[in-house]
Structure formats: C-alpha cells, structure tokens
Amino acid sequence: MKNVVLKLSARDLVHADLASCGWAGSDHHLANVVGQLERARTGEVDYLAICPATDIPVAKGGIDYQVKEGVGILWQLAVHPALQSCGIGTFLVEAAERRIRSRGLHQAELAVEESNPRARALYERLGYAAYDRRPDSWDEQAPDGSLRRYERMCTLMRKELS
C-alpha cells in the first residue's frame, strides 16, 4: 500500500469557501460561520481553512480572542470525515497555535465533548491538559430542517504556548 502525502496550507476561511464546506455541518452551522467571518473582519477571531493544493478546505476552525483575556480559545474545529486520522487535525491545531502566538499570546484553550475520545487523545498528544469540565449546548439542525438543542458535557483543556 502506498501512502498519499498532501501538501497543506493554512489561510483565512472566506465566505466563498462555505459552498464547499457542507461536510463541516448543517446549513444552520454554516450560517453561524458566516457570522464568525464578520467577527474575523474586525479582528475578534481568526477563522482558518486548511487546504491542499486544490485550495478547497478539508478542515476548518476558529480562534476566539474575546472569551478570556490573554487566551486564544479554539472552537468549531472540524476535519472532513473522509480525511480524519491523516494528520490534518494536527496541522489545524498547530496553525491555530501559530496564530495565537502571532498576537503575542501564550495560552490556548479548547473544550472537547466527553463523547469524543479520539479528539481528546489528539489534543493530549499535542500537549493539552484537562483542567475542568462543564456542560455546553448549542442549536443543531435535524435532518428535517428543524432545530433542536444539543447538550453535552465537555472537558476544558489548555496548553501553554512557548
């Protein structure tokens, strides 16, 4: 079996990318991302796209600088399901950490659903340590288009960035 190597780059996610990001979530989620792109325009957040040579995003995620003083909060991290476990999530988190450091900040935090041990293992492998847990919830679009409240317990994790 031959390995496939993708040359990846990180750039700002732009509105035109959303048409090819259906893998990342429902129409409701992507509408939320539109709002986050407006916040990115003002510098409150960074929203990244990870792309191979085709320049079509295969991963995306945000960094919010407004939640906690001096901390970049990673959120809405997603990798195309067909490409998970290929190192793209690692590339995404490391790109986000570079953005945080470029703002002169030295701490990154994130929340991971306790029902997602694969993601938690990735974050631990990248140096994140659990420090608390809290319930979280958001609106999720059902297949019929209706919205329902999605509630999960999350582990809060942090990493000191050098």
Side-chain angles (χ1 to χ4, degrees):
M1 183 156 85
K2 194 163 184 147
N3 289 335
V4 174
V5 178
L6 287 178
K7 182 171 170 42
L8 299 172
S9 62
R11 62 168 173 78
D12 291 331
L13 188 80
V14 296
H15 195 275
D17 291 325
L18 297 179
S20 61
C21 287
W23 52 265
S26 66
D27 291 343
H28 177 74
H29 170 72
L30 294 176
N32 175 271
V33 174
V34 170
Q36 301 309 326
L37 294 179
E38 275 305 302
R39 292 183 66 213
R41 234 177 24 78
T42 67
E44 294 178 21
V45 304
D46 281 321
Y47 213 103
L48 303 178
I50 304 303
C51 304
T54 60
D55 204 37
I56 297 170
V58 295
K60 63 135 187 99
I63 311 151
D64 197 322
Y65 302 103
Q66 302 299 304
V67 176
K68 205 172 192 181
E69 179 85 24
V71 178
I73 306 290
L74 282 64
W75 98 117
Q76 294 187 353
L77 304 176
V79 174
H80 191 295
L83 298 171
Q84 291 176 356
S85 298
C86 295
I88 298 169
T90 297
F91 191 91
L92 171 61
V93 172
E94 290 173 347
E97 291 171 356
R98 283 192 297 279
R99 286 288 182 101
I100 293 167
R101 282 198 281 302
S102 75
R103 290 186 177 228
L105 304 177
H106 301 286
Q107 193 169 81
E109 293 188 6
L110 54 81
V112 60
E113 293 177 44
E114 292 186 354
S115 61
N116 192 349
R118 284 182 66 214
R120 180 173 175 159
L122 167 66
Y123 304 139
E124 287 173 342
R125 205 166 48 252
L126 294 175
Y128 287 78
Y131 71 89
D132 202 359
R133 49 194 307 259
R134 71 155 196 255
D136 200 357
S137 62
W138 53 88
D139 288 332
E140 178 182 74
Q141 190 172 358
D144 68 3
S146 65
L147 293 182
R148 61 180 174 225
R149 201 70 184 159
Y150 181 81
E151 298 181 5
R152 284 290 184 266
M153 182 60 74
C154 292
T155 298
L156 305 179
M157 303 181 81
R158 76 167 50 114
K159 178 180 178 179
E160 295 296 323
L161 305 175
S162 52

